[in-house]
Amino acid sequence: DAKTTQPPSMDCAEGRAANLPCNHSTISGNEYVYWYRQIHSQGPQYIIHGLKNNETNEMASLIITEDRKSSTLILPHATLRDTAVYYCIVRVSETSYDKVIFGPGTSLSVIP
Amino acid sequence: EAGVTQSPTHLIKTRGQQATLRCSPISGHTSVYWYQQALGLGLQFLLWYDEGEERNRGNFPPRFSGRQFPNYSSELNVNALELEDSALYLCASSGRGSNQPQHFGDGTRLSIL
């Protein structure tokens, strides 16, 4: 079973910030939070990941709560091309161990 | 920089046949992962290869197998195909070191008639 829970769907107005929540209450100390998105008929696209500090890149920002039990992916100015399924996963990746479990994700619809 | 490439894009087989799917990782990446995504379902982890060795496999029968070549490219083989094997098969690669993100190809759509 996935170690994360996300709302099944969300809407966001074009040009507004999209805030996608994720709960990972059983996260372990060495597990990172990763976000991917999948646009129909394409492979998942890596967005961002973090351990405990907030992270930002050219695509999005990741806010992780201090207790690490939840996080929020922020798309600052959503466009129609951001319509996709967004997956939040927790993962520990070492040279000898790597396990990834994808849940059903959040289907984000950006509305004109 | 070229991304992960998979071939073929589409593959049509009949029950009982064998299918071979191929994956070329991003240059410099040593790990390759295979996932199955059946229609309406999430990504299910299949196999992980690193430095030519199988490191982990998901909950799939032994007729799902693969290998990784010295150039780090990989093959996924599915024997004795069944109707429920119809799915999008995704390959991802990641670089050396801990917690390197996986980067995905666009998959091979396998249809079993």
Side-chain angles (χ1 to χ4, degrees):
Chain A
D1 290 341
K3 294 186 66 174
T4 62
T5 56
Q6 301 176 252
S9 64
M10 292 181 62
D11 292 338
C12 178
E14 188 178 17
R16 303 296 295 270
N19 297 282
L20 291 92
C22 179
N23 287 319
H24 30 80
S25 59
T26 61
I27 192 170
S28 301
N30 60 348
E31 286 182 314
Y32 281 66
V33 180
Y34 283 77
W35 283 84
Y36 288 82
R37 71 181 183 184
Q38 187 174 24
I39 298 170
H40 183 63
S41 299
Q42 297 180 17
Q45 177 188 23
Y46 165 75
I47 301 173
I48 199 167
H49 74 287
L51 183 63
K52 52 185 177 182
N53 296 322
N54 298 337
E55 302 286 345
T56 296
N57 63 20
E58 64 277 7
M59 290 183 66
S61 295
L62 173 60
I63 308 298
I64 302 174
T65 58
E66 193 168 342
D67 63 8
R68 302 211 321 125
K69 293 186 176 181
S70 66
S71 61
T72 301
L73 179 75
I74 301 172
L75 308 178
H77 305 287
T79 71
L80 298 179
R81 287 180 293 181
D82 293 322
T83 292
V85 177
Y86 287 76
Y87 298 100
C88 166
I89 63 171
V90 294
R91 173 189 180 213
V92 57
S93 167
E94 305 292 343
T95 55
S96 61
Y97 179 83
D98 194 346
K99 185 173 183 179
V100 177
I101 301 175
F102 281 82
T106 295
S107 178
L108 175 68
S109 296
V110 179
I111 312 299
Chain B
E1 177 184 89
V4 176
T5 58
Q6 294 186 244
S7 63
T9 306
H10 294 88
L11 188 58
I12 299 174
K13 294 286 186 178
T14 57
R15 289 177 60 190
Q17 285 189 314
Q18 184 252 357
T20 298
L21 288 63
R22 296 179 176 83
C23 173
S24 292
I26 291 172
S27 177
H29 285 190
T30 60
S31 280
V32 170
Y33 308 79
W34 288 95
Y35 293 85
Q36 181 196 67
Q37 187 173 32
L39 191 62
L41 299 179
L43 283 80
Q44 303 294 318
F45 167 72
L46 263 168
L47 289 160
W48 169 35
Y49 291 95
D50 183 61
E51 299 283 2
E53 300 288 330
E54 181 180 304
R55 301 293 187 184
N56 197 11
R57 67 179 293 130
N59 188 26
F60 282 84
R63 58 191 186 83
F64 287 83
S65 65
R67 55 180 171 167
Q68 187 178 33
F69 299 99
N71 66 354
Y72 303 113
S73 67
S74 177
E75 268 182 8
L76 174 69
N77 295 293
V78 188
N79 294 319
L81 287 165
E82 301 178 2
L83 293 177
E84 54 264 33
D85 296 333
S86 293
L88 180 67
Y89 289 84
L90 291 157
C91 171
S93 72
S94 69
R96 286 187 173 91
S98 300
N99 293 297
Q100 297 298 310
Q102 296 178 4
H103 296 274
F104 286 80
D106 283 336
T108 292
R109 174 74 60 187
L110 177 61
S111 299
I112 312 303
L113 304 180

